[in-house]
Amino acid sequence: MTADIIITVVLALLSILLMLAEVFLLPGITFAGIAGGIFSIGSVFYAYTYLGNIGGTITLIMSIATFGFLFIWLVRSKAINKIGLTAEIDSKVDNDLDKVNEGDTGTTLSRLSPMGKIRVNGVVVEGKSLGGFIDEGKPVVIYKKYTNQVLVKEEGTSI
């Protein structure tokens, strides 16, 4: 009887530790999460089999309560902040769209079908045709400027 209780407690604690490691330390579904689930089911099954209904129910309730308590304690503690990623990225990708404005004219470097490269104000940017295809070497006008591309129309055409 004592050995059965020790086996049940060890399996339950192992499952709780593996599940907490899965949640807080290991990204995605890993071996720890799968093993933690197996140990959790195994500890409850072992308790119901060898300790009876009362022992199995106590194991189930205590496992859920212990996991919940430790989960909440770890979330609220500052220990997670020490191992978590806290750096912020405040840099921007350097692009040449700052030199391009709506209404500027340029030339297509490749066929816009509907996207391709254009040269405007001496810089090469990604251009998207408003409608249809625009062949290489055709003059275009910037209609709208976005973060990473410009919307263009062929010079002399209406929208």
Side-chain angles (χ1 to χ4, degrees):
M1 181 74 152
T2 306
D4 292 333
I5 294 173
I6 292 172
I7 291 171
T8 303
V9 169
V10 168
L11 286 174
L13 289 177
L14 200 57
S15 73
I16 290 170
L17 290 176
L18 287 171
M19 293 295 253
L20 289 173
E22 173 72 23
V23 171
F24 291 108
L25 299 176
L26 305 170
I29 298 175
T30 62
F31 176 75
I34 295 168
I38 291 171
F39 281 129
S40 179
I41 292 168
S43 68
V44 173
F45 179 76
Y46 190 88
Y48 273 111
T49 303
Y50 293 102
L51 299 177
N53 287 338
I54 294 174
T57 304
I58 290 172
T59 302
L60 180 62
I61 292 170
M62 290 303 292
S63 294
I64 292 171
T66 304
F67 177 80
F69 171 77
L70 289 174
F71 183 85
I72 292 170
W73 178 73
L74 282 171
V75 167
R76 290 186 179 183
S77 75
K78 302 296 180 192
I80 295 299
N81 295 339
K82 292 179 183 177
I83 62 172
L85 180 63
T86 57
E88 292 182 19
I89 300 173
D90 57 355
S91 62
K92 295 171 110 179
V93 174
D94 188 27
N95 63 17
D96 293 327
L97 285 176
D98 297 335
K99 302 172 186 172
V100 176
N101 296 310
E102 294 176 7
D104 289 350
T105 58
T107 309
T108 58
L109 296 176
S110 65
R111 183 175 187 213
L112 302 186
S113 56
M115 296 186 70
K117 297 287 184 183
I118 62 169
R119 183 182 308 273
V120 181
N121 298 336
V123 296
V124 177
V125 295
E126 185 80 22
K128 182 177 182 181
S129 171
L130 271 174
F133 301 125
I134 303 175
D135 288 327
E136 181 179 344
K138 299 284 185 175
V140 291
V141 177
I142 307 291
Y143 178 73
K144 184 124 174 117
K145 179 176 148 181
Y146 294 108
T147 307
N148 59 349
Q149 69 179 358
V150 292
L151 207 55
V152 298
K153 65 177 184 160
E154 197 167 357
E155 194 172 42
T157 61
S158 62
I159 300 174

